[in-house]
């Protein structure tokens, strides 16, 4: 499996080989040996596996967790297409404020690893887009935070058209507002 470190320190994209035939295709978006070779250690113990199904135009995020405890994520798309965003929100990180986006599809099998403190968002590019997550911690509402995808300081380039957002994501603060409130994670190297 090929991999590439993203423009956000500690975040990686993984590109599995896809094996098509007359039945469809097969891919393994997570392979422990490839992950360990890229990141330098095994994947976190999985505490929760989650999935979301979104219609075209839905934008979820920017979501992140308080550190500590922090939550690492391994994300892939099992159906449809998603434009996935990895955003460094960690104060003191050499890549603070940077982001990168990749298209995740069921066909390409691309997966993204996000270390704790890194923000995540995605835009569904098709109806019935299924995004799957492996998480290092179970969801705890009090640890889960959000930032505005419209924050000019972040400068995320969203797909054209009006996005469909949750009420929480519509009300999310900007990066500067979250920093002023002491809500951003710290980078520990």
């Amino acid at each position: 499996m090929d991999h590439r470190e993203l423009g956000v320190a500690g975040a990686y994209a993984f590109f599995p080989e896809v094996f098509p035939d007359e039945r469809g295709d097969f891919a393994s978006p997570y392979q422990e040996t490839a992950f360990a070779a890229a990141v330098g250690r095994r994947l976190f113990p999985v505490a929760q596996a989650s999935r979301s199904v979104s219609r075209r135009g839905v934008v979820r995020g920017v979501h992140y967790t308080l550190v500590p405890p922090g939550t690492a994520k391994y994300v892939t798309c099992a159906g449809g297409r998603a434009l996935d965003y990895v955003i460094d929100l960690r104060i003191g990180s050499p890549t603070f404020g940077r982001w990168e986006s990749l298209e995740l599809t069921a066909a390409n099998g691309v997966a993204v690893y996000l270390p704790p403190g890194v923000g995540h968002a995605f835009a569904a590019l098709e109806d019935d887009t299924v995004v799957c997550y492996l998480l290092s911690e179970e969801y705890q509402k009090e640890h889960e935070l959000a930032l505005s995808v419209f924050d000019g300081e972040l400068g995320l380039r969203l797909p054209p058209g009006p996005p469909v957002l949750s009420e929480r994501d519509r009300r999310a603060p900007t990066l500067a507002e979250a920093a002023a409130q002491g809500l951003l994670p710290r980078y520990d190297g």
Side-chain angles (χ1 to χ4, degrees):
M1 171 173 2
D2 291 331
H3 72 277
R4 174 173 68 84
E5 186 167 12
L6 300 176
V8 171
Y12 291 82
F14 293 89
F15 307 91
E17 186 172 357
V18 179
F19 300 95
D21 66 22
E22 65 279 354
R23 300 168 297 165
D25 68 39
F26 178 85
S28 297
Y30 174 71
Q31 298 170 30
E32 184 174 292
T33 302
F35 182 88
V39 179
R41 60 179 158 54
R42 296 173 73 177
L43 184 67
F44 50 80
V46 174
Q48 182 172 316
S50 301
R51 66 110 176 115
S52 64
V53 179
S54 302
R55 68 179 201 251
R56 185 177 188 267
V58 166
V59 175
R60 295 182 187 252
V62 173
H63 299 155
Y64 66 103
T65 55
L66 290 176
V67 177
T71 301
K73 297 178 182 179
Y74 195 84
V75 181
T76 192
C77 182
R81 294 172 38 235
L83 187 56
D84 199 77
Y85 299 87
V86 177
I87 306 107
D88 196 344
L89 306 175
R90 302 165 297 176
I91 293 175
S93 168
T95 57
F96 177 77
R98 286 192 206 159
W99 60 272
E100 191 163 336
S101 63
L102 298 103
E103 188 171 311
L104 308 183
T105 72
N108 70 19
V110 173
V112 179
Y113 168 72
L114 298 91
V118 171
H120 180 248
F122 74 85
L125 302 174
E126 295 179 356
D127 285 340
D128 298 321
T129 292
V130 180
V131 174
C132 299
Y133 313 79
L134 298 178
L135 305 168
S136 65
E137 299 290 330
E138 290 185 23
Y139 173 80
Q140 294 182 35
K141 184 177 182 176
E142 64 274 14
H143 294 162
E144 182 80 20
L145 300 170
L147 292 179
S148 174
V149 294
F150 303 115
D151 183 353
E153 186 176 351
L154 291 178
L156 299 179
R157 291 187 294 275
L158 298 174
V164 178
L165 301 168
S166 70
E167 182 61 30
R168 173 181 163 221
D169 290 343
R170 275 194 297 277
R171 291 184 287 109
T174 64
L175 185 66
E177 291 167 339
Q181 295 172 39
L183 297 176
L184 294 180
R186 300 204 65 78
Y187 178 75
D188 293 328

